[in-house]
Amino acid sequence: MSNQQYTANSIKSLKGLDAVRKRPAMYIGSTGSSGLHHLVYEVVDNSIDEALAGFCNRIDVIIHGDESITVSDNGRGIPVDYHNEEKMSALQLVLTTLHAGGKFDNSSYKVSGGLHGVGVSCVNALSSVLQVEIFRDNKIYFMEFKRGVPNDDVKIIGSTDLTGTKIKFKPDSDIFESVSFSFDVLSKRLRELAFLNKGVTITINDERSEEKFHEFCYPGGLSSFISYLDENKTPLHSEPICFNQSRDNIELEIAMQYNDSYTENIFSFANNINTIDGGAHLSGFKKGLTRCINTYISKNNLLKNNKVEIKGEDLREGLTAVISVKLSNPQFEGQTKTKLGNSIVSGIVESYVVDVLGMFLEENPSISKKIIEKCINSAVAREAARRARQIARRKTVMDGGGLPGKLADCSEKDPNKCEIFIVEGDSAGGSAKMGRDRTFQAILPLKGKILNVEKARIDKVISHEEIQIIVQALGTGFGKNVDDEGFDISKLRYNKIIIMTDADVDGAHIRTLLLTFFFRHMPELIEKGNVYIAQPPLYKIKSGSEERYVFNDEEKDLILKEWSERKNISIQRYKGLGEMNPEQLADTTMNPDTRILLNVKMEDVVEADRVFTMLMGEEVEPRRRFIENNATKVKNLDI
Ligand code: 0RA
């Protein structure tokens, strides 16, 4: 009888795991690189749960040489005892049944459980081999699975005085398109988890290479997160403002700090998941902030005779904040399930922010003064920007047509077929105009450098002539989406925006200025992949009648080696686009059949923000360090 039941239950779990193997994307999002990395997060999340329950403070991740992964923790260890109802060991149950986790731990709620909340059984199903060692009751238990199917019952293989869980798995190459892990991608998430779960030590060790190891542990939690995000910014007050509290069975943790930049940088998490589409916790925070600061302003009559209206966005200028909530029944909404739906959270966060931030403002008048001054300046600038935008629009209407005079437009009108080259200087612009295919390629020559938007408020940005010209040419308008005159990607006139600058220091600077502008004021263009960087050749190598264009030094060395027998080899180094004639420029850099374009991507918002602040911000020292550190390594700035 019991044997029969055992078999019945085993078959049931096999069927469950079979479903995972048949439709892996339904459980882990995709079978691409993101799904692959998700396997690691799924296992780590279980260890994090153990840490949140107060039983674990160390998690170690190893990427092995054969692309298998070990995650170990010093928690209680997955229970191994025989589970009467299910007729198998608890360990087998956890590793072979979907959503088995809740069956054991009724007392403490499961918090992380991954983006899709599927548990380690999915990792097991999608691994060609998974081995687990449990350190518990002074024994070491061992069990092995192949594609989710146990090889044998759980065995005792030794004794120990430690406790914990060690899971080693090798993702199944029949399932995943790529089985190669990225140290940087894993590191980024593990660092984030260490910020979000203060006091937990998380390490990652890459055995594929010799020097790659990180240890993350942040006793300061979210406060350390803010300091990391704002490492290169100048704060308005020395310490981040931090609160944390448990209310109505919801754990809230908020850290915030104002800096002297004009960028708003708010990250929200629910149960350790980065809710990039925000949701209830984020909207509660924003409402609370607006209500609290506005109350403070009117109570202390700080606007005096200033007739300006302060909006929410003014109160968030130069604000870096992290909001983390942990709750027992998170509802994740939206296509990517990255928006917190539990509407009750909004009111709780709002009233919490009003209470504690209100108290902070009262108790710290000198900090409050700086914050309020900044808010008022932002409102004044926003109003000035609106007027500048109106003037700019009236001017283009009067100019007729609304396209800048310097733009050599293309004849094709379908944006999907069109591209625009933003070119440094009039001479290169001239060559580009002659070399282009005028049916679908437009040329916009820039004179000199555009404004560094990292150091300018919105009103200045909008009044800058070269920026106005770029905005007019693109056709998208400019500014926050919320106001109806703002940026609208559907009006974009060219599917590809190609930055084409000289391969020298000035060219790199102009490129970075343009990228900073797009990143800060038209981030959608970068998110949607519309922005490209042209790659002009660095050298022309000639021998007799044979000519080769070369795009980097390695390529040059290869050709020189290949041609080592020949005499009369000449090498021409191109310092500027202007040194090429129109035909050469077209062949090497503009013609879609022969050119190389670099697509600018934003894979990591946090890193991108840090890089731009560093390159373009006020602080000189970190910039110098970055350039020194990377001068020899970086060929292309990928943000
Ligand atoms: C079920 C119940 C208990 C702990 C765990 C699972 C557990 C799972 C994982 C996965 C990775 N590390 C883990 N650590 C613990 C509670 C055990 C008890 O009550 O002693």
Side-chain angles (χ1 to χ4, degrees):
M1 172 67 199
S2 87
N3 246 339
Q4 261 173 23
Q5 259 192 39
Y6 174 84
T7 320
N9 280 322
S10 294
I11 289 173
K12 204 160 74 190
S13 45
L14 276 182
K15 278 193 176 148
L17 294 196
D18 229 34
V20 178
R21 289 184 61 83
K22 281 212 177 91
R23 293 219 159 79
M26 251 185 68
Y27 296 86
I28 53 158
S30 81
T31 54
S33 170
S34 130
L36 180 78
H37 290 83
H38 197 85
L39 298 181
V40 184
Y41 307 150
E42 202 62 55
V43 180
V44 170
D45 280 345
N46 282 278
S47 303
I48 290 282
D49 273 336
E50 202 50 14
L52 290 174
F55 298 103
C56 159
N57 64 6
R58 188 181 175 95
I59 302 168
D60 300 289
V61 177
I62 304 169
I63 312 173
H64 297 287
D66 66 348
E67 301 285 351
S68 63
I69 296 276
T70 295
V71 178
S72 42
D73 67 51
N74 64 350
R76 287 168 292 181
I78 304 177
V80 287
D81 49 322
Y82 189 73
H83 214 255
N84 271 327
E85 240 171 79
E86 304 289 338
K87 309 290 176 218
M88 61 179 89
S89 72
L91 177 61
Q92 183 174 343
L93 193 63
V94 166
L95 282 161
T96 59
T97 326
L98 297 177
H99 307 289
K103 290 206 171 101
F104 300 93
D105 229 7
N106 299 325
S107 51
S108 73
Y109 55 79
K110 288 274 160 195
V111 148
S112 16
L115 183 52
H116 302 265
V118 287
V120 272
S121 59
C122 283
V123 179
N124 195 12
L126 301 176
S127 296
S128 53
V129 186
L130 182 145
Q131 295 164 327
V132 54
E133 279 175 39
I134 305 295
F135 299 70
R136 208 181 148 100
D137 319 320
N138 299 107
K139 297 184 185 73
I140 304 174
Y141 300 89
F142 175 83
M143 199 167 176
E144 186 177 49
F145 301 82
K146 299 222 159 91
R147 303 190 161 83
V149 182
N151 273 3
D152 202 344
D153 283 338
V154 54
K155 288 258 179 327
I156 295 171
I157 58 162
S159 58
T160 178
D161 47 15
L162 304 175
T163 67
T165 302
K166 186 173 180 177
I167 295 177
K168 182 177 186 190
F169 65 95
K170 186 164 173 46
D172 191 343
S173 54
D174 292 351
I175 302 272
F176 292 95
E177 288 139 40
S178 145
V179 287
S180 173
F181 285 99
S182 155
F183 178 77
D184 290 342
V185 168
L186 291 178
S187 295
K188 185 206 157 219
R189 173 62 180 160
L190 296 177
R191 175 189 283 122
E192 193 172 270
L193 282 171
F195 282 130
L196 291 164
N197 303 282
K198 63 167 154 258
V200 182
T201 300
I202 306 180
T203 69
I204 175 164
N205 186 3
D206 192 342
E207 292 185 346
R208 299 170 304 182
S209 59
E210 267 165 35
E211 48 185 312
K212 285 187 170 176
F213 176 81
H214 282 313
E215 176 170 311
F216 306 118
C217 180
Y218 303 103
L222 295 194
S223 175
S224 313
F225 202 167
I226 298 280
S227 304
Y228 175 78
L229 291 166
D230 281 5
E231 193 182 18
N232 303 310
K233 295 183 184 169
T234 311
L236 289 194
H237 46 103
S238 56
E239 293 295 320
I241 309 169
C242 301
F243 341 110
N244 66 292
Q245 200 194 47
S246 230
R247 254 194 205 188
D248 303 323
N249 214 12
I250 297 173
E251 222 182 287
L252 304 175
E253 209 182 334
I254 295 173
M256 52 189 278
Q257 186 169 33
Y258 282 92
N259 58 67
D260 71 352
S261 81
Y262 310 111
T263 307
E264 165 185 338
N265 227 347
I266 308 182
F267 296 93
S268 67
F269 296 83
N271 291 11
N272 288 333
I273 289 159
N274 186 189
T275 39
I276 48 178
D277 294 320
H281 51 341
L282 180 63
S283 69
F285 173 77
K286 287 184 177 175
K287 277 188 220 157
L289 185 76
T290 306
R291 187 145 68 88
C292 180
I293 297 189
N294 275 328
T295 306
Y296 185 84
I297 289 175
S298 60
K299 203 167 118 192
N300 296 290
N301 191 28
L302 296 173
L303 270 185
K304 303 198 181 83
N305 297 323
N306 227 324
K307 285 239 156 42
V308 68
E309 183 202 356
I310 306 228
K311 288 191 173 177
E313 62 194 79
D314 300 320
L315 308 176
R316 301 192 295 270
E317 187 193 271
L319 174 65
T320 298
V322 181
I323 302 135
S324 168
V325 301
K326 289 174 184 144
L327 67 167
S328 53
N329 266 311
Q331 305 296 316
F332 292 107
E333 297 176 344
Q335 205 154 33
T336 50
K337 301 274 179 235
T338 47
K339 183 175 182 186
L340 182 68
N342 309 52
S343 53
I344 188 169
V345 173
S346 174
I348 295 172
V349 176
E350 179 181 347
S351 68
Y352 180 57
V353 170
V354 168
D355 289 355
V356 281
L357 185 62
M359 213 145 72
F360 178 90
L361 293 174
E362 295 292 345
E363 287 169 3
N364 298 277
S366 65
I367 296 177
S368 307
K369 186 164 167 260
K370 284 189 202 161
I371 294 175
I372 305 298
E373 255 171 32
K374 185 161 172 63
C375 296
I376 295 174
N377 288 341
S378 162
V380 171
R382 187 174 41 71
E383 192 44 43
R386 198 180 58 78
R387 283 195 302 271
R389 204 189 282 130
Q390 274 174 354
I391 292 167
R393 188 168 335 99
R394 223 171 288 143
K395 210 167 71 189
T396 62
V397 170
M398 287 191 315
D399 285 351
L403 287 175
K406 305 205 287 181
L407 174 74
D409 207 7
C410 52
S411 54
E412 174 63 54
K413 291 288 170 252
D414 177 1
N416 284 318
K417 296 182 186 148
C418 296
E419 44 190 57
I420 182 170
F421 286 83
I422 301 180
V423 187
E424 167 186 0
D426 284 332
S427 90
S431 299
K433 275 182 204 172
M434 285 191 265
R436 70 175 172 151
D437 180 335
R438 63 175 58 238
T439 55
F440 71 100
Q441 293 182 318
I443 308 293
L444 181 66
L446 285 187
K447 71 162 182 266
K449 296 183 175 174
I450 67 160
L451 179 74
N452 177 1
V453 300
E454 200 64 27
K455 292 187 193 168
R457 267 210 174 89
I458 182 85
D459 52 333
K460 265 216 184 129
V461 176
I462 277 181
S463 313
H464 185 78
E465 197 182 334
E466 295 296 297
I467 287 180
Q468 284 181 0
I469 288 171
I470 295 171
V471 176
Q472 282 169 24
L474 298 183
T476 53
F478 175 82
K480 290 253 160 71
N481 267 323
V482 281
D483 81 53
D484 54 0
E485 309 158 359
F487 177 82
D488 181 355
I489 198 166
S490 71
K491 300 209 178 94
L492 182 63
R493 301 178 60 246
Y494 313 92
N495 184 43
K496 286 195 175 76
I497 301 162
I498 303 165
I499 300 172
M500 188 158 76
T501 57
D502 291 341
D504 59 7
V505 177
D506 270 356
H509 191 211
I510 291 170
R511 182 177 68 197
T512 311
L513 288 166
L514 283 165
L515 285 174
T516 309
F517 169 69
F518 289 132
F519 175 68
R520 290 295 183 206
H521 294 282
M522 301 182 167
E524 231 184 313
L525 291 181
I526 295 183
E527 279 155 27
K528 300 251 158 77
N530 295 105
V531 180
Y532 295 81
I533 294 168
Q535 301 282 284
L538 274 188
Y539 305 97
K540 184 165 77 175
I541 308 184
K542 239 174 121 168
S543 160
S545 60
E546 197 173 350
E547 274 180 4
R548 296 263 190 100
Y549 294 103
V550 174
F551 293 85
N552 57 51
D553 285 306
E554 289 96 67
E555 229 181 301
K556 181 189 77 177
D557 294 343
L558 268 176
I559 291 178
L560 289 181
K561 218 167 147 191
E562 191 188 315
W563 289 2
S564 56
E565 306 289 291
R566 306 187 188 186
K567 299 203 174 85
N568 63 20
I569 297 176
S570 74
I571 304 176
Q572 182 188 357
R573 186 183 155 92
Y574 291 119
K575 285 189 212 74
L577 300 165
E579 292 174 26
M580 277 179 272
N581 65 41
E583 208 174 301
Q584 287 172 331
L585 184 63
D587 283 350
T588 59
T589 318
M590 297 175 70
N591 180 349
D593 296 330
T594 49
R595 72 187 177 195
I596 305 168
L597 288 186
L598 203 70
N599 193 193
V600 179
K601 291 199 184 113
M602 182 159 49
E603 298 205 333
D604 183 342
V605 186
V606 170
E607 275 317 303
D609 181 78
R610 283 161 53 86
V611 167
F612 279 118
T613 315
M614 188 159 56
L615 292 175
M616 309 314 286
E618 303 280 353
E619 305 273 294
V620 177
E621 190 48 29
R623 176 163 65 236
R624 202 175 56 78
R625 242 185 295 136
F626 178 83
I627 291 173
E628 280 173 6
N629 285 342
N630 292 279
T632 51
K633 278 191 256 167
V634 176
K635 276 196 220 75
N636 307 316
L637 178 75
D638 205 0
I639 54 172

mmCIF file of all heavy atoms in Angstrom, residues 43 46-47 50 73 76-79 94 104-105 136 165 167, ligand 1:
data_model
loop_
_atom_site.group_PDB
_atom_site.id
_atom_site.type_symbol
_atom_site.label_atom_id
_atom_site.label_comp_id
_atom_site.label_asym_id
_atom_site.label_seq_id
_atom_site.Cartn_x
_atom_site.Cartn_y
_atom_site.Cartn_z
ATOM 1 N N VAL A 43 17.696 29.577 -6.724
ATOM 2 C CA VAL A 43 18.326 28.845 -5.624
ATOM 3 C C VAL A 43 18.757 29.822 -4.529
ATOM 4 O O VAL A 43 18.502 29.605 -3.340
ATOM 5 C CB VAL A 43 19.536 28.027 -6.127
ATOM 6 C CG1 VAL A 43 20.182 27.284 -4.973
ATOM 7 C CG2 VAL A 43 19.095 27.047 -7.205
ATOM 8 N N ASN A 46 16.075 31.027 -2.152
ATOM 9 C CA ASN A 46 15.727 30.118 -1.059
ATOM 10 C C ASN A 46 16.658 30.316 0.130
ATOM 11 O O ASN A 46 16.225 30.266 1.282
ATOM 12 C CB ASN A 46 15.801 28.672 -1.545
ATOM 13 C CG ASN A 46 14.583 28.301 -2.357
ATOM 14 O OD1 ASN A 46 13.552 27.966 -1.815
ATOM 15 N ND2 ASN A 46 14.693 28.414 -3.662
ATOM 16 N N SER A 47 17.922 30.543 -0.154
ATOM 17 C CA SER A 47 18.876 30.812 0.927
ATOM 18 C C SER A 47 18.576 32.158 1.584
ATOM 19 O O SER A 47 18.693 32.307 2.799
ATOM 20 C CB SER A 47 20.306 30.813 0.389
ATOM 21 O OG SER A 47 20.598 29.581 -0.234
ATOM 22 N N GLU A 50 15.912 31.813 4.037
ATOM 23 C CA GLU A 50 16.464 31.232 5.251
ATOM 24 C C GLU A 50 17.134 32.337 6.092
ATOM 25 O O GLU A 50 17.039 32.351 7.311
ATOM 26 C CB GLU A 50 17.449 30.139 4.829
ATOM 27 C CG GLU A 50 17.789 29.049 5.792
ATOM 28 C CD GLU A 50 16.661 28.321 6.486
ATOM 29 O OE1 GLU A 50 15.491 28.428 6.077
ATOM 30 O OE2 GLU A 50 16.965 27.654 7.478
ATOM 31 N N ASP A 73 24.676 27.627 1.609
ATOM 32 C CA ASP A 73 24.340 28.560 2.690
ATOM 33 C C ASP A 73 24.546 27.888 4.028
ATOM 34 O O ASP A 73 24.717 26.666 4.101
ATOM 35 C CB ASP A 73 22.901 29.071 2.534
ATOM 36 C CG ASP A 73 21.848 27.995 2.742
ATOM 37 O OD1 ASP A 73 21.895 27.281 3.769
ATOM 38 O OD2 ASP A 73 20.951 27.869 1.878
ATOM 39 N N ARG A 76 19.450 26.285 8.089
ATOM 40 C CA ARG A 76 19.112 25.077 8.839
ATOM 41 C C ARG A 76 19.302 23.810 8.014
ATOM 42 O O ARG A 76 19.332 22.704 8.529
ATOM 43 C CB ARG A 76 17.644 25.139 9.298
ATOM 44 C CG ARG A 76 17.396 26.126 10.417
ATOM 45 C CD ARG A 76 15.913 26.349 10.624
ATOM 46 N NE ARG A 76 15.318 27.053 9.483
ATOM 47 C CZ ARG A 76 14.032 27.392 9.425
ATOM 48 N NH1 ARG A 76 13.210 27.088 10.422
ATOM 49 N NH2 ARG A 76 13.561 28.029 8.372
ATOM 50 N N GLY A 77 19.371 23.970 6.700
ATOM 51 C CA GLY A 77 19.418 22.785 5.841
ATOM 52 C C GLY A 77 18.004 22.346 5.508
ATOM 53 O O GLY A 77 17.123 22.379 6.379
ATOM 54 N N ILE A 78 17.782 21.953 4.277
ATOM 55 C CA ILE A 78 16.447 21.470 3.903
ATOM 56 C C ILE A 78 16.164 20.207 4.722
ATOM 57 O O ILE A 78 17.040 19.344 4.830
ATOM 58 C CB ILE A 78 16.388 21.134 2.393
ATOM 59 C CG1 ILE A 78 16.793 22.359 1.560
ATOM 60 C CG2 ILE A 78 14.981 20.662 2.005
ATOM 61 C CD1 ILE A 78 16.830 22.129 0.068
ATOM 62 N N PRO A 79 14.981 20.099 5.323
ATOM 63 C CA PRO A 79 14.671 18.901 6.119
ATOM 64 C C PRO A 79 14.775 17.634 5.268
ATOM 65 O O PRO A 79 14.460 17.659 4.081
ATOM 66 C CB PRO A 79 13.221 19.125 6.560
ATOM 67 C CG PRO A 79 12.957 20.575 6.375
ATOM 68 C CD PRO A 79 13.870 21.065 5.311
ATOM 69 N N VAL A 94 10.850 18.792 -1.784
ATOM 70 C CA VAL A 94 11.224 20.173 -2.118
ATOM 71 C C VAL A 94 11.836 20.240 -3.517
ATOM 72 O O VAL A 94 11.606 21.180 -4.272
ATOM 73 C CB VAL A 94 12.216 20.732 -1.066
ATOM 74 C CG1 VAL A 94 12.883 22.017 -1.548
ATOM 75 C CG2 VAL A 94 11.510 20.967 0.260
ATOM 76 N N PHE A 104 6.114 23.321 4.446
ATOM 77 C CA PHE A 104 6.820 23.146 5.705
ATOM 78 C C PHE A 104 6.678 24.328 6.639
ATOM 79 O O PHE A 104 6.347 24.197 7.789
ATOM 80 C CB PHE A 104 8.313 22.940 5.434
ATOM 81 C CG PHE A 104 8.571 21.764 4.594
ATOM 82 C CD1 PHE A 104 8.666 21.883 3.228
ATOM 83 C CD2 PHE A 104 8.680 20.512 5.186
ATOM 84 C CE1 PHE A 104 8.896 20.777 2.457
ATOM 85 C CE2 PHE A 104 8.899 19.412 4.406
ATOM 86 C CZ PHE A 104 9.009 19.533 3.036
ATOM 87 N N ASP A 105 6.963 25.455 6.085
ATOM 88 C CA ASP A 105 7.218 26.609 6.911
ATOM 89 C C ASP A 105 5.964 27.448 7.052
ATOM 90 O O ASP A 105 5.765 28.383 6.301
ATOM 91 C CB ASP A 105 8.329 27.425 6.237
ATOM 92 C CG ASP A 105 9.410 27.774 7.220
ATOM 93 O OD1 ASP A 105 9.351 27.279 8.361
ATOM 94 O OD2 ASP A 105 10.287 28.554 6.854
ATOM 95 N N ARG A 136 23.064 18.764 8.551
ATOM 96 C CA ARG A 136 21.960 18.848 9.501
ATOM 97 C C ARG A 136 22.051 17.688 10.481
ATOM 98 O O ARG A 136 22.488 16.600 10.089
ATOM 99 C CB ARG A 136 20.645 18.745 8.693
ATOM 100 C CG ARG A 136 19.458 19.429 9.309
ATOM 101 C CD ARG A 136 18.232 19.226 8.418
ATOM 102 N NE ARG A 136 17.055 19.183 9.260
ATOM 103 C CZ ARG A 136 16.239 20.197 9.440
ATOM 104 N NH1 ARG A 136 16.420 21.328 8.801
ATOM 105 N NH2 ARG A 136 15.209 20.090 10.246
ATOM 106 N N THR A 165 22.861 24.127 3.461
ATOM 107 C CA THR A 165 22.422 23.477 2.227
ATOM 108 C C THR A 165 23.415 23.816 1.131
ATOM 109 O O THR A 165 23.845 24.967 1.014
ATOM 110 C CB THR A 165 21.031 24.013 1.814
ATOM 111 O OG1 THR A 165 20.116 23.780 2.877
ATOM 112 C CG2 THR A 165 20.528 23.337 0.548
ATOM 113 N N ILE A 167 23.809 23.247 -2.996
ATOM 114 C CA ILE A 167 23.166 22.728 -4.208
ATOM 115 C C ILE A 167 24.078 22.995 -5.395
ATOM 116 O O ILE A 167 24.465 24.127 -5.654
ATOM 117 C CB ILE A 167 21.786 23.400 -4.422
ATOM 118 C CG1 ILE A 167 20.835 23.010 -3.287
ATOM 119 C CG2 ILE A 167 21.191 23.001 -5.775
ATOM 120 C CD1 ILE A 167 19.470 23.669 -3.355
HETATM 121 C C1 0RA B 1 11.961 23.857 3.967
HETATM 122 C C2 0RA B 1 11.856 23.975 5.347
HETATM 123 C C3 0RA B 1 12.884 24.535 6.086
HETATM 124 C C4 0RA B 1 14.006 25.000 5.434
HETATM 125 C C5 0RA B 1 14.109 24.899 4.042
HETATM 126 C C6 0RA B 1 13.075 24.335 3.319
HETATM 127 C C7 0RA B 1 15.330 25.388 3.362
HETATM 128 C C8 0RA B 1 15.400 25.381 1.970
HETATM 129 C C9 0RA B 1 16.570 25.830 1.364
HETATM 130 C C10 0RA B 1 16.985 25.953 0.053
HETATM 131 C C11 0RA B 1 18.278 26.460 0.080
HETATM 132 N N1 0RA B 1 18.653 26.648 1.338
HETATM 133 C C12 0RA B 1 17.631 26.277 2.155
HETATM 134 N N2 0RA B 1 17.561 26.269 3.496
HETATM 135 C C13 0RA B 1 16.422 25.843 4.077
HETATM 136 C C14 0RA B 1 12.757 24.645 7.572
HETATM 137 C C15 0RA B 1 13.612 23.617 8.259
HETATM 138 C C16 0RA B 1 13.431 23.509 9.751
HETATM 139 O O1 0RA B 1 12.354 23.769 10.261
HETATM 140 O O2 0RA B 1 14.410 23.129 10.400
#
